[in-house]
Amino acid sequence: MFEYKFVQATLGGFFTEANHHELIDEYAKQGWRLVQVLPMYYNSHGKPTDYEIIFEREAGN
């Protein structure tokens, strides 16, 4: 059996910095495994701006 965690990440923009590397490292240290990255929001040019990172680990960890 597995448990899942869904974390929102951004690629950054004019006023913000990307945070996906730090998020992946942080959750990996806690025993989570990266499963999927899904684009969630797009800018007016059709470029994804925010993502949902999906992690999994065995239940009970």
Side-chain angles (χ1 to χ4, degrees):
M1 179 146 242
F2 291 93
E3 60 181 328
Y4 294 89
K5 184 161 295 271
F6 303 90
V7 180
Q8 190 167 348
T10 180
L11 283 184
F14 197 71
F15 295 107
T16 59
E17 193 170 314
N19 65 347
H20 59 287
H21 290 170
E22 293 84 7
L23 286 170
I24 293 168
D25 287 343
E26 175 187 332
Y27 283 95
K29 288 176 185 174
Q30 297 174 25
W32 293 96
R33 182 177 76 92
L34 175 68
V35 175
Q36 180 78 37
V37 178
L38 298 171
M40 299 298 290
Y41 302 104
Y42 298 83
N43 66 16
S44 61
H45 301 289
K47 177 184 172 193
T49 58
D50 290 67
Y51 292 83
E52 186 170 73
I53 302 175
I54 304 169
F55 296 95
E56 77 174 1
R57 69 179 177 186
E58 288 192 40
N61 283 340

